[in-house]
Amino acid sequence: MQPNQFHSLAFSFAFYFFGLTAIASAIAFVTRKSPVAAAMWLVNVMFALAGLYVMLDAQFMATMQVLVYTGAIMVVFLFVIMLLNLGHPSEIADSRGKWGKIFALFIGLAMLAEVMALNRSNTIDRIIPADLAAKAAEAAATPLAGGVIGPIAAPLFKEYLLAFELTSVLLLAAIVGAVVLGKRRTDAR
Amino acid sequence: MLVESLALSAVLFTIGVVGVLTRRNAIIIFMCVELMLNAVNLTFVALSKVYGATGQVFVVFTMTVAAAEAAVGLAIIIAIFRHQRTVNLSNINLLKG
């Protein structure tokens, strides 16, 4: 991708389109009463984030986002919502009272102010060394050696091989845990 | 570009926190946690544009942990529902002092 393409109007438009879609869908997600509608808005957030990943040159991550998050995790959520038959009137009034909402809004604004203060551009420039930024710009200009996946696969299977193997143990533990927790106990007391 | 991505990530994370604090439905609170994990993933991807592709390796790990968390958490929610016939956290107050 040419460097000047990053600043073109169409690129900016698409970036803000995906970003604003993500924010609007996230707000719709936390305000919906019905769990199924909330899950659908969350799927929309995840698709918008997948679009942003493509724009940030992380095409493999965008694929994984669609496959794993919207394709697997959210389907499991919807499956459980429908299995438990949620959404009948007693479950719908599930928000906290007025004071709880005001408290949550206050906490949210305080957190947002804190993170935004960290997020100012001069802070970003300070945490990113200039030589690293130059090297990244140079690497972005040259075509990748192993395609899109190569730069991710190399550290995953070399530097972080132990963590990768431990992840498989984590998944095995999660599978066993889910089966044990979900099993109907016939011999319990 | 980078600053906008980080700001978007902060906004999404905050929306997730507010959702956890205001909602009472266990499944929706769980989905808010997934939204927060997604916001962190966006931070990793945005910074990996500057720091190199290692950040995307951590996104792979985050997604794996999120998948494991969803499996175990939803199994816990099903077990609670079987016991209490509800997933509203107002009615699940066994440990409340």
Side-chain angles (χ1 to χ4, degrees):
Chain A
M1 196 177 275
Q2 298 296 316
N4 59 0
Q5 220 171 325
F6 285 108
H7 302 290
S8 71
L9 186 65
F11 191 84
S12 304
F13 174 77
F15 186 84
Y16 282 104
F17 172 74
F18 282 126
L20 292 177
T21 306
I23 292 176
S25 305
I27 290 172
F29 155 62
V30 290
T31 50
R32 284 314 94 185
K33 299 277 185 212
S34 156
V36 176
M40 284 300 154
W41 281 113
L42 187 56
V43 167
N44 209 18
V45 176
M46 287 166 174
F47 268 118
L49 283 179
L52 282 175
Y53 289 173
V54 172
M55 308 195 75
L56 289 166
D57 281 345
Q59 289 88 351
F60 179 64
M61 284 307 121
T63 315
M64 294 306 286
Q65 172 89 359
V66 174
L67 283 180
V68 174
Y69 265 115
T70 59
I73 295 181
M74 290 317 294
V75 168
V76 173
F77 270 99
L78 281 172
F79 187 71
V80 169
I81 289 169
M82 291 177 182
L83 185 74
L84 301 185
N85 197 14
L86 300 178
H88 47 87
S90 67
E91 296 286 346
I92 281 181
D94 71 336
S95 291
R96 279 180 200 270
K98 195 180 86 179
W99 288 108
K101 277 183 182 163
I102 291 172
F103 172 72
L105 191 68
F106 178 75
I107 294 277
L109 287 177
M111 273 192 62
L112 199 60
E114 281 174 14
V115 186
M116 286 298 181
L118 274 177
N119 216 349
R120 282 175 314 168
S121 51
N122 56 354
T123 319
I124 296 289
D125 289 341
R126 216 180 308 135
I127 61 169
I128 294 169
D131 55 334
L132 202 61
K135 212 165 73 179
E138 189 188 331
T142 55
L144 297 171
V148 178
I149 307 179
I152 305 165
L156 186 61
F157 292 111
K158 285 176 187 159
E159 270 179 273
Y160 299 101
L161 183 64
L162 179 65
F164 180 76
E165 296 294 341
L166 286 176
T167 306
S168 60
V169 178
L170 171 78
L171 280 175
L172 181 67
I175 292 168
V176 173
V179 170
V180 167
L181 283 168
K183 198 176 62 169
R184 191 181 290 275
R185 260 175 232 171
T186 50
D187 55 347
R189 276 195 292 156
Chain B
M1 190 74 188
L2 177 64
V3 176
E4 286 92 339
S5 301
L6 293 181
L8 172 66
S9 159
V11 170
L12 287 180
F13 192 89
T14 309
I15 291 173
V17 170
V18 170
V20 168
L21 289 173
T22 50
R23 303 304 297 264
R24 308 293 294 139
N25 187 325
I27 290 188
I28 291 190
I29 287 178
F30 211 47
M31 288 196 280
C32 288
V33 175
E34 297 289 336
L35 180 63
M36 286 193 269
L37 284 169
N38 263 290
V40 174
N41 280 350
L42 179 62
T43 310
F44 272 130
V45 170
L47 283 175
S48 82
K49 218 169 143 49
V50 181
Y51 281 100
T54 312
Q56 297 179 27
V57 175
F58 284 92
V59 177
V60 174
F61 289 140
T62 314
M63 280 182 182
T64 319
V65 171
E69 177 222 341
V72 175
L74 288 171
I76 291 174
I77 286 175
I78 288 176
I80 289 173
F81 185 82
R82 200 175 282 153
H83 194 67
Q84 299 259 356
R85 310 307 302 169
T86 180
V87 291
N88 193 324
L89 293 186
S90 313
N91 303 329
I92 304 168
N93 49 11
L94 195 63
L95 292 180
K96 202 172 183 180

